[in-house]
Amino acid sequence: MATLTKELTSGRPLPLILNFTLPLLMGNLLQQTYSLVDAVIVGRFLGIDALASVGASTSVVFLILGFCNGCCGGFGIPVAQKFGARDYGEMRRYVFVSLRLAAVMSVAVAAVTSFWCGDILRIMQTPGNIFPGAYAYLLVTFLGIPCTFYYNLLACVIRALGDSRTPFWFLLFSTVLNIVLDLFCILVLGWGVAGAAIATVFSQGVSAALCYRYMMRRFEVLRGDASERRFSGKLARRLLSIGVPMGLQFSITAVGSIMLQSANNALGTACVAAFTAAVRIKMFFMCPFESLGIAMATYGGQNYGAGKPERVWQGVKASSLMMTIYWVFTFCVLMTCAQPLARLFVDGSETEILEDTALFLHVSVSFFPVLGLLCILRYTIQGVGFTNLAMLSGVSEMIARILVSLFAVPAFGYIAVCFGDSTAWVFADLFLIPAFAFVYRRLLRMKRQPLG
């Protein structure tokens, strides 16, 4: 029995986006769950230094994997557009070209980053007592980039077809496997911090393989003849022209995060541990914003392909309403429960780390509406094909974080680190709001014109 795809080009935007977002949200929560589990198991069973080792490389992982995941999201945009236009033959050609590009790009990125792994950590001023653990964790993560790349690409293709549920089930399987392997590698085999990374990479690899097999067997719309599986330089160039700017947008954003984390690393192991715990918790509560954004990329791409730009603006308004309601809930939770959540990672006697973690979370949640708007506008702009503008919003974030790192952190210490992300979100929105207005006007002028 074939799996059904879903068009988002007709019907009320709010329920459509909500129904599409919920499986994405569950999937993102699962991803953050095994990120949290890694940190909790490492912090509880291996100690504060091991937890700091994992955290010391967080921004670098975001830099590299963010580029890969951004490329995957970009590769899914032409698929969504052609699906919305019901040009299924061209859609299949894009899918098979993207799979070949993924093979070359992922292996190349894995080779280069693994070679420079140690130098990257030294540039980031990683404290000597946590350097070996940080190096082991980062090296394994880099070597596993092909697994991560392929899983995210396959998930993006399936979502482009309007199915956000299937990737969730494979991610659920991956999360459960990751938790079991975390405990086995760390507690039974004694592989330490490297064991946490091995568990994650292996889980994603298995999930990617199963996802590909399922997708090709169950999605009738992806079945084509041999001519549609041939490599096309023209389609590859279009995929790269969309995917690379999206990847660079994540990487450019991460450069600022690396600067901020480097400044924080210089403040000592306690600040690194607090930052690690706070970022893990923050990322968990940020999931709905990211999920809404991803949903808007598919929604925007399909409606652009169908020649219905007015629905894009309707979707932005519906998403903003959902984002605001969620923020009110999150604000209440994090303002009252930040320290109890931090105690998942460290013992209650570590009062300095607990207080620093809570401070970071209180500042971050106060600016979550700014972040929510950022996600909705950026992904919508990407979904309709204006990826270069989305990349420039990443430049705005990078500049903000660099300024905070170079001037505010040396002057004010950890409190400045707490305001680093929120300052970057404000800078990005100052660019994205007029950028979206420009894009929407362009879409209205291009209404119902053939796609290039």
Side-chain angles (χ1 to χ4, degrees), residues 21 25 28-29 284-293 326 330:
T21 299
L25 173 59
N28 276 334
L29 288 174
F284 187 87
F285 282 92
M286 280 170 48
C287 282
F289 303 133
E290 187 77 9
S291 301
L292 270 174
Y326 170 73
T330 306

Side-chain angles (χ1 to χ4, degrees), residues 1-250:
M1 181 174 139
T3 301
L4 295 177
T5 54
K6 183 175 179 60
E7 294 184 358
L8 305 175
T9 55
S10 61
R12 292 174 56 213
L14 195 150
L16 278 175
I17 295 170
L18 178 61
N19 289 334
F20 190 82
T21 299
L22 287 176
L24 289 174
L25 173 59
M26 295 303 295
N28 276 334
L29 288 174
L30 284 172
Q31 282 187 312
Q32 295 307 319
T33 295
Y34 69 60
S35 178
L36 280 169
V37 167
D38 275 347
V40 168
I41 292 175
V42 167
R44 284 292 184 176
F45 292 104
L46 299 179
I48 298 301
D49 282 355
L51 178 63
S53 296
V54 173
S57 58
T58 298
S59 294
V60 182
V61 171
F62 179 60
L63 170 70
I64 305 303
L65 297 189
F67 174 77
C68 296
N69 295 345
C71 288
C72 292
F75 291 171
I77 286 173
V79 177
Q81 291 177 349
K82 294 301 180 184
F83 181 75
R86 301 188 178 183
D87 186 354
Y88 301 131
E90 192 76 351
M91 180 202 74
R92 285 189 288 269
R93 293 185 183 93
Y94 273 117
V95 170
F96 291 114
V97 171
S98 68
L99 292 174
R100 289 172 171 80
L101 285 177
V104 176
M105 293 177 68
S106 63
V107 171
V109 171
V112 172
T113 53
S114 298
F115 181 79
W116 292 103
C117 183
D119 293 314
I120 292 170
L121 289 172
R122 280 186 281 271
I123 291 171
M124 290 183 64
Q125 306 179 64
T126 305
N129 62 311
I130 64 174
F131 187 94
Y135 178 81
Y137 186 86
L138 197 58
L139 181 62
V140 173
T141 300
F142 285 163
L143 290 173
I145 282 174
C147 297
T148 304
F149 203 114
Y150 263 101
Y151 171 74
N152 281 284
L153 175 59
L154 296 170
C156 286
V157 168
I158 294 172
R159 285 195 294 265
L161 306 180
D163 178 8
S164 58
R165 289 180 171 81
T166 297
F168 164 74
W169 294 114
F170 285 105
L171 191 56
L172 175 61
F173 167 79
S174 179
T175 301
V176 173
L177 180 61
N178 184 76
I179 292 171
V180 172
L181 290 177
D182 256 342
L183 296 170
F184 180 72
C185 291
I186 292 174
L187 301 183
V188 178
L189 299 180
W191 287 353
V193 172
I198 290 170
T200 299
V201 168
F202 183 82
S203 301
Q204 288 183 331
V206 172
S207 185
L210 293 175
C211 189
Y212 176 80
R213 186 170 184 271
Y214 179 90
M215 183 178 80
M216 292 305 175
R217 286 169 61 93
R218 300 292 295 274
F219 284 77
E220 284 187 353
V221 74
L222 292 176
R223 297 173 189 168
D225 55 40
S227 67
E228 294 172 344
R229 297 173 179 263
R230 285 199 292 266
F231 185 81
S232 166
K234 178 183 176 182
L235 298 188
R237 286 190 293 272
R238 171 150 172 79
L239 286 167
L240 291 172
S241 71
I242 297 176
V244 171
M246 281 186 66
L248 289 176
Q249 175 245 300
F250 281 98

Side-chain angles (χ1 to χ4, degrees), residues 257-278:
S257 297
I258 289 174
M259 292 287 293
L260 186 63
Q261 185 162 11
S262 298
N264 185 65
N265 287 350
L267 299 178
T269 301
C271 287
V272 176
F275 183 83
T276 302

Side-chain angles (χ1 to χ4, degrees), residues 270-452:
C271 287
V272 176
F275 183 83
T276 302
V279 167
R280 291 295 195 276
I281 297 169
K282 180 194 75 173
M283 294 297 290
F284 187 87
F285 282 92
M286 280 170 48
C287 282
F289 303 133
E290 187 77 9
S291 301
L292 270 174
I294 295 171
M296 282 303 299
T298 300
Y299 175 89
Q302 285 196 16
N303 282 284
Y304 171 65
K308 299 180 178 180
E310 67 282 350
R311 287 180 56 80
V312 174
W313 171 236
Q314 294 169 9
V316 168
K317 291 190 291 185
S319 297
S320 298
L321 174 62
M322 288 185 277
M323 174 270 290
T324 304
I325 293 171
Y326 170 73
W327 169 69
V328 172
F329 164 76
T330 306
F331 184 84
C332 295
V333 171
L334 287 182
M335 292 301 288
T336 56
C337 301
Q339 284 210 24
L341 288 170
R343 283 197 289 270
L344 292 171
F345 300 86
V346 298
D347 189 81
S349 61
E350 301 284 353
T351 55
E352 180 186 359
I353 295 175
L354 292 174
E355 289 172 0
D356 284 348
T357 302
L359 176 62
F360 187 102
L361 292 172
H362 289 164
V363 172
S364 293
V365 75
S366 300
F367 287 85
F368 268 11
V370 181
L371 171 64
L373 184 62
L374 183 160
C375 290
I376 291 168
L377 295 182
R378 175 182 286 165
Y379 277 101
T380 302
I381 290 171
Q382 290 173 347
V384 298
F386 289 78
T387 53
N388 287 328
L389 283 177
M391 180 180 69
L392 290 174
S393 73
V395 174
S396 301
E397 286 192 73
M398 178 188 71
I399 291 172
R401 286 192 176 95
I402 289 175
L403 291 175
V404 170
S405 304
L406 293 179
F407 301 106
V409 176
F412 301 105
Y414 183 76
I415 183 66
V417 174
C418 297
F419 277 93
D421 284 339
S422 52
T423 304
W425 300 336
V426 170
F427 270 52
D429 275 355
L430 290 175
F431 176 85
L432 283 168
I433 292 171
F436 176 76
F438 165 78
V439 167
Y440 186 60
R441 286 195 297 268
R442 286 285 301 272
L443 293 181
L444 291 176
R445 287 199 297 268
M446 295 163 54
K447 184 175 180 179
R448 301 191 184 283
Q449 291 182 1
L451 294 177

